[in-house]
Amino acid sequence: MDRTSLTLLLALLFYAGFSASSQVAKPDPTFYGTPAEARVSAVDETVARQWNEALLEAIRGDFARPTVHARNLFHTSMAMYDAFALYHEADEPVFVGNVWRGFECPLDSSLLDIPVDAAERTSATEEALSFAVYRLLNHRFADSPGSDEALASFDALMLELGHDVSYQSQNISDGPAALGNYIGEQLIQFGLQDGSNELLDYANENYEAINPDLELAGSGNPSLIDPNAWQPLAIPVFVDQSGNVLSETPDFQGAEWGSVETFALEDSSLTLVERDGVDWPLYLDCGTPPLFGEGEDVGDIADAYAWGFSLVALWSAHLHPSDGVMLDIGPGNLGDLNATGPGSFSEMDTFYNWLEGGDFSEGHDLNPVTGAAYDPNIVPRGDYARVLAEFWADGPDSETPPGHWFVLLNGVMQHPDFTSQWLGEGEALDALRYTVRAYLTLGGAMHDAAIAAWSHKGLYDYIRPVSAIRYMASLGQRSDSTLASYHPGGMPLVPGRIELVEAGDPLAAGGNQGKIKVYAWQGPDAIISPFWDEAEVGWILAEEWWPYQRPSFVTPPFAGYVSGHSTFSRAAAEVMTAITGSPYFPGGMGEYEVVQNQFLVFEEGPSQTFNLQWATYRDASDQCSLSRIWGGIHPPADDFPGRQLGVEIAELALNRVNQYFAPTAVIDLCPLDLDGDGVVGATDLLESLAEFGNSGPDLSGDVNGDQLVGVNDILDLLASYGESCP
């Protein structure tokens, strides 16, 4: 058996599920850097959190479909929130009882039996929420490759919560379980007509790829027709997220996702652009990406297209600690960028470090919580870059990018320093209220991020680095017309990084003299087993360049521009900044430990144990964006427009949810203290007596919440008369 065949065989076994359990490059589903014994907060164990964790685990067992799972996260969050809002009149439902995106979900509120007793109301809320989510998720994951495990976990959670999974009534007068079934079924019906084409497994109806498949086992890109267009990949062994071996590489996933009904995106941000005789919806248009041979100059490089894709190849040289470069990756040195990117493609060199990697951020002076400077965190650049690429990859065996940010949110909400003040203001919210609000806001933003980003991907249909780099390299070099292999569309020559293969070069054999070579990660052919091998970096033919990814995955099956990771991450960072009332992680820093030789999945590593660290949510988002460049998945031109898009989407989502959330919906730690003086006394009794006999919402004297100021309210006040408040 030759080396390539052995590599593919071992990769198949490894990525199909025989890998060591310790080598799983995904975030801890609790909180980064917080000891287990300290992971306690008011929001930690709500029923909403339990269902969200069940959903995230089901996503890990499904295909890696960011668009589909952004939608699942949003619809589930909307079901949770509406179930809560129907039992708590201060907040308004989004979907139930309304016409939502043209879909009518009727509700006769007079049929709802809303308990007066707070404990009974909480129980009813949790029951309705559970049945709604259970019904929806059973439908959405029925045909998942991990359906057996997913559906069993949903059943197990229902039984743990004390619910009868066989209960089917949707007559809301039958109680909270029936209401939950009704909410879930209505969302199922909405989803079957929301533009996602769920009935046909989310298939495209009009999109056709311009370019034929790229044969990764060969050299160059001889079949490429359009150097600006996305190209499918011919992968000998394609392993899906659950370890299922597929006979062929998936088609462009979500090419028509711009047609899906949105949360907060409105028609005013929508442009219809004709493509191949079809009107393609485009939200918040970021403009055309740099095109081959037509872009603006960037620094000394003739066009932005060549600059960006060459940068990806150059950063590939950083993917091993043998380069000897040490970086301080602590928040004191990295982060606090406070920018979404350059103003134009021609200014990319002012934002990204072309040769050395990363951006030009300068870090934070002090931790605002402790008042102390952040400690240095010195690690090899080659470990940092590889860990970033895998930590944020969100491909196989992950929650996908929108789910990754729900993991982050859950971690934040269970941190000991977290307070459930909505937008960081006022009194703390009830745990369940804060959680369903947070999920709805983040879920809505992630859903719209998928729609907006994929509307760009489908329309602009932009090429990925593995196709562009191999193509340019096959043309030659663009730097010097007096040298061999000159072509104006070729790769730029960079001494020590991108050079010509000359006589006597080990790569010159087989007629390769005069071709372009690049100092880069050497690819999966240099790895027999990811258990113990590292590909390292070295000189390879540029026309055989690989991204830093699994050989069974290589690059996501959809176009590059704009970056979904950048869009999701920046939108999420802005949402979390807003809903927590602070740009900083609790305690002033979030972190995640990566263990020596136990974290990397693509190959052995890292060479030492260290922590990823972020002061702010935006720092984490910026790091995610850079990871996609180091991983060989995106050029900078895909990245920063995605960041800008994310900011706009977050603002729209936050404005939308404010229409539903009551600003006064806070926990009253002493509901009998009507005048707020800290004591239940005479003025409180007089205030209630002044409203005696009145009925309706928002009466201060209605201390038992039955919307009537009566004898029971007076008796409650008298029973606590003279007591101090906490």
Side-chain angles (χ1 to χ4, degrees):
M1 182 179 289
D2 61 29
R3 184 181 182 87
T4 299
S5 300
L6 181 60
T7 299
L8 288 171
L9 175 60
L10 289 171
L12 173 59
L13 294 173
F14 183 78
Y15 298 124
F18 293 96
S19 60
S21 60
S22 62
Q23 284 193 316
V24 179
K26 63 182 182 181
D28 185 336
T30 49
F31 184 74
Y32 308 135
T34 303
E37 62 271 16
R39 293 167 180 160
V40 179
S41 84
V43 190
D44 192 17
E45 292 298 331
T46 66
V47 68
R49 167 69 180 274
Q50 293 178 70
W51 279 110
N52 181 256
E53 294 286 1
L55 169 56
L56 291 172
E57 191 58 34
I59 292 172
R60 296 179 189 117
D62 194 20
F63 298 110
R65 301 181 289 187
T67 53
V68 171
H69 294 309
R71 176 175 173 267
N72 284 332
L73 285 158
F74 169 54
H75 287 180
T76 303
S77 298
M78 190 159 56
M80 293 181 185
Y81 172 79
D82 274 16
F84 180 92
L86 289 169
Y87 284 101
H88 298 80
E89 295 86 349
D91 288 344
E92 295 292 330
V94 177
F95 178 72
V96 182
N98 298 315
V99 178
W100 175 254
R101 298 305 186 189
F103 182 91
E104 185 176 3
C105 180
L107 180 77
D108 185 353
S109 58
S110 68
L111 299 177
L112 289 178
D113 182 16
I114 301 177
V116 174
D117 179 76
E120 292 179 3
R121 183 182 299 192
T122 297
S123 178
T125 302
E126 293 178 345
E127 186 174 5
L129 184 155
S130 293
F131 273 89
V133 176
Y134 176 76
R135 191 177 190 97
L136 177 62
L137 295 188
N138 267 277
H139 169 78
R140 293 285 171 83
F141 289 89
D143 297 321
S144 165
S147 61
D148 289 347
E149 293 81 3
L151 301 186
S153 73
F154 303 153
D155 283 352
L157 180 53
M158 287 289 280
L159 293 173
E160 181 184 338
L161 296 170
H163 304 313
D164 181 2
V165 297
S166 66
Y167 186 76
Q168 296 295 315
S169 174
Q170 297 180 42
N171 185 344
I172 63 174
S173 61
D174 290 341
L179 174 62
N181 280 334
Y182 176 73
I183 295 172
E185 181 60 29
Q186 289 296 299
L187 277 166
I188 289 170
Q189 295 304 315
F190 170 73
L192 295 176
Q193 53 85 73
D194 70 343
S196 66
N197 203 15
E198 181 185 330
L199 281 169
L200 294 178
D201 198 28
Y202 312 103
N204 301 319
E205 295 186 322
N206 297 301
Y207 175 87
E208 292 185 7
I210 295 172
N211 289 313
D213 294 2
L214 170 61
E215 298 287 343
L216 288 163
S219 296
N221 197 347
S223 64
L224 192 73
I225 297 171
D226 185 346
N228 297 309
W230 177 73
Q231 182 178 35
L233 304 180
I235 299 177
V237 180
F238 187 87
V239 182
D240 73 21
Q241 186 165 338
S242 301
N244 300 299
V245 181
L246 303 185
S247 59
E248 57 186 21
T249 305
D251 295 329
F252 189 138
Q253 293 179 353
E256 298 161 13
W257 206 255
S259 299
V260 176
E261 296 289 353
T262 69
F263 174 58
L265 296 171
E266 298 292 357
D267 289 347
S268 59
S269 63
L270 173 64
T271 305
L272 294 177
V273 182
E274 191 274 333
R275 174 180 167 170
D276 299 330
V278 177
D279 284 338
W280 288 75
L282 178 63
Y283 284 97
L284 301 169
D285 185 11
C286 297
T288 304
L291 300 180
F292 178 78
E294 298 180 16
E296 300 175 90
D297 291 357
V298 184
D300 298 328
I301 305 302
D303 63 69
Y305 180 105
W307 187 92
F309 288 113
S310 297
L311 176 144
V312 176
L314 291 169
W315 286 22
S316 185
H318 307 156
L319 297 173
H320 195 268
S322 61
D323 69 0
V325 176
M326 304 296 289
L327 292 179
D328 180 2
I329 65 168
N333 188 58
L334 298 181
D336 197 28
L337 197 59
N338 291 326
T340 54
S344 67
F345 295 116
S346 63
E347 299 173 351
M348 290 187 291
D349 62 334
T350 66
F351 188 83
Y352 303 93
N353 192 326
W354 196 54
L355 278 178
E356 301 306 319
D359 54 38
F360 294 106
S361 63
E362 298 180 353
H364 303 261
D365 292 334
L366 298 172
N367 183 322
V369 177
T370 65
Y374 290 99
D375 293 332
N377 184 9
I378 310 297
V379 303
R381 178 176 62 183
D383 281 338
Y384 176 63
R386 291 186 298 161
V387 166
L388 287 198
E390 292 204 27
F391 181 83
W392 294 105
D394 294 319
D397 195 31
S398 82
E399 312 83 9
T400 72
H404 196 147
W405 281 93
F406 270 82
V407 174
L408 272 166
L409 173 62
N410 286 335
V412 167
M413 291 193 298
Q414 71 184 52
H415 191 275
D417 294 340
F418 170 76
T419 59
S420 57
Q421 296 170 285
W422 188 250
L423 307 180
E425 301 175 351
E427 298 182 49
L429 290 180
D430 167 88
L432 184 57
R433 186 187 298 272
Y434 187 96
T435 304
V436 297
R437 283 188 174 191
Y439 285 171
L440 178 68
T441 311
L442 182 59
M446 296 297 91
H447 180 61
D448 281 359
I451 293 170
W454 264 256
S455 76
H456 285 74
K457 291 178 184 290
L459 176 67
Y460 291 114
D461 199 27
Y462 198 52
I463 194 168
R464 292 279 188 174
V466 67
S467 295
I469 292 170
R470 289 188 174 205
Y471 176 71
M472 288 194 298
S474 68
L475 297 178
Q477 56 86 15
R478 65 168 59 226
S479 298
D480 191 337
S481 60
T482 67
L483 297 178
S485 306
Y486 176 76
H487 191 287
M491 296 275 288
L493 297 178
V494 181
R497 297 290 189 88
I498 304 174
E499 299 180 350
L500 286 169
V501 176
E502 306 202 358
D505 192 305
L507 294 174
N512 294 326
Q513 185 175 337
K515 289 187 175 183
I516 309 301
K517 65 178 184 179
V518 58
Y519 194 73
W521 187 67
Q522 298 184 93
D525 281 350
I527 299 173
I528 295 180
S529 171
F531 289 114
W532 60 78
D533 276 348
E534 295 175 295
E536 302 186 355
V537 298
W539 287 104
I540 62 171
L541 293 176
E543 62 187 39
E544 296 177 359
W545 179 88
W546 282 80
Y548 183 73
Q549 293 287 311
R550 298 173 173 179
S552 58
F553 191 71
V554 185
T555 196
F558 39 79
Y561 181 84
V562 299
S563 167
H565 276 73
S566 297
T567 309
F568 285 126
S569 293
R570 191 56 184 228
E574 296 301 308
V575 164
M576 291 175 66
T577 296
I579 67 176
T580 63
S582 172
Y584 289 88
F585 280 85
M589 186 169 70
E591 55 184 347
Y592 179 77
E593 183 182 48
V594 293
V595 179
Q596 180 183 15
N597 293 332
Q598 293 185 24
F599 180 80
L600 297 184
V601 175
F602 304 164
E603 61 181 1
E604 177 78 325
S607 67
Q608 66 180 56
T609 297
F610 65 93
N611 286 357
L612 293 177
Q613 296 177 327
W614 324 278
T616 69
Y617 306 116
R618 291 165 181 152
D619 291 347
S621 169
D622 292 340
Q623 187 190 81
C624 175
S625 292
L626 294 175
S627 79
R628 305 304 281 166
I629 304 175
W630 262 308
I633 303 302
H634 289 286
D638 293 352
D639 169 30
F640 74 85
R643 303 190 197 200
Q644 296 166 350
L645 194 60
V647 172
E648 295 183 76
I649 289 165
E651 182 178 355
L652 292 169
L654 288 161
N655 288 336
R656 174 56 55 88
V657 297
N658 283 336
Q659 301 175 18
Y660 305 108
F661 299 164
T664 57
V666 298
I667 295 175
D668 188 353
L669 297 178
C670 195
L672 300 178
D673 178 25
L674 304 184
D675 63 358
D677 66 353
V679 179
V680 180
T683 55
D684 305 304
L685 184 60
L686 291 171
E687 187 172 335
S688 187
L689 288 170
E691 294 180 340
F692 194 87
N694 293 341
S695 61
D698 302 322
L699 293 167
S700 61
D702 177 25
V703 296
N704 65 4
D706 65 355
Q707 299 193 30
L708 173 68
V709 181
V711 174
N712 289 331
D713 301 295
I714 303 300
L715 292 175
D716 286 345
L717 283 163
L718 291 172
S720 299
Y721 194 88
E723 293 182 358
S724 299
C725 296

